[in-house]
Amino acid sequence: TNILLVGLDTRAGLTAEEKKALHVGTGNYGRPRADAVMLVHVSPGERGITVVSLPRDSYLDLPAYTDAKGGRHPARKDRLSAAYEIGEAPMLARTVEQATGTHIDHYVEVDFSGFLSMVDALGGVDVCLPKPALDKPAGLDLPAGTSTVSGRDALAFVRARTLDSDFGRMARQQGFIASIVQKASSAGTLLNPIALNSFLDA
């Protein structure tokens, strides 16, 4: 089973105070963009899960499409994130399928508000750092070692841009998703109907 997992940069549902506290900016940034794109492959035979991050600035072929007004547009080269801006989930899924040769079975997108809710519903998620992580623009300040981060710090952790390269950022995002899955599938969550239902609702 192949799942396209997308993190959107939309601030919908956040108040001005929340935007400021989360360091996500308070301006009008236009249409939502695909901030993180991951292709998740679930293999039932080996009971394994493989995650491949697709850089949002990858320059590739976007398929031809028809816009909301009926206008037809030819295929063109552009950034992967442009696919979502053009045609949201269907266009992004078509672009990834065309670029990777992989059929997408399911699609999941999470915005800032949903991400915060997921992490907080689990009572926070553990991250383990070899050295302190400080990123002032993102509002991130975590010590070395293991920390249980709430939604606010979790969002800063996966969005921080000054800690390392884009590839380092993708590795952090993958690691954090793994931590979410580990916490959500732990006995402490599965045996707590309130926590489990809150997470699934989020």
Side-chain angles (χ1 to χ4, degrees), residues 4 6 8 31 34 61-66 80 82-99 102-104 106-109:
L4 188 61
V6 178
L8 296 183
R31 294 172 60 86
D61 293 315
L62 270 59
Y65 70 98
T66 303
L80 177 60
Y84 190 92
E85 294 178 67
I86 290 170
E88 299 186 347
M91 183 64 169
L92 183 59
R94 285 179 56 207
T95 301
V96 171
E97 285 185 330
Q98 177 176 286
T102 302
H103 175 71
I104 304 298
H106 301 287
Y107 174 90
V108 178
E109 69 179 35

Side-chain angles (χ1 to χ4, degrees), residues 23-199:
H23 296 264
V24 296
T26 57
N28 180 6
Y29 298 96
R31 294 172 60 86
R33 290 165 293 187
D35 194 49
V37 182
M38 299 180 188
L39 188 56
V40 181
H41 175 73
V42 182
S43 176
E46 301 173 358
R47 298 180 61 196
I49 298 176
T50 303
V51 180
V52 177
S53 292
L54 306 174
R56 64 179 188 167
D57 291 329
S58 299
Y59 196 66
L60 36 71
D61 293 315
L62 270 59
Y65 70 98
T66 303
D67 62 32
K69 296 181 180 179
R72 295 185 177 182
H73 302 267
R76 72 170 200 252
K77 285 194 175 292
D78 208 328
R79 293 171 296 112
L80 177 60
S81 59
Y84 190 92
E85 294 178 67
I86 290 170
E88 299 186 347
M91 183 64 169
L92 183 59
R94 285 179 56 207
T95 301
V96 171
E97 285 185 330
Q98 177 176 286
T100 65
T102 302
H103 175 71
I104 304 298
D105 299 298
H106 301 287
Y107 174 90
V108 178
E109 69 179 35
V110 181
D111 60 15
F112 289 164
S113 181
F115 182 82
L116 294 169
S117 298
M118 286 171 54
V119 174
D120 287 340
L122 292 172
V125 174
D126 291 342
V127 295
C128 186
L129 304 175
K131 60 182 181 180
L134 177 64
D135 185 303
K136 289 185 178 180
L140 179 68
D141 187 2
L142 293 176
T146 301
S147 299
T148 300
V149 296
S150 64
R152 177 192 176 282
D153 287 334
L155 185 62
F157 180 72
V158 299
R159 295 189 71 239
R161 298 184 182 280
T162 65
L163 294 179
D164 44 33
S165 67
D166 280 347
F167 292 106
R169 181 169 174 262
M170 288 187 293
R172 271 186 283 118
Q173 291 171 345
Q174 284 194 12
F176 196 82
I177 292 296
S179 293
I180 287 179
V181 171
Q182 185 176 24
K183 183 73 176 281
S185 59
S186 68
T189 301
L190 295 178
L191 297 177
N192 183 337
I194 295 176
L196 182 60
N197 287 334
S198 295
F199 173 72

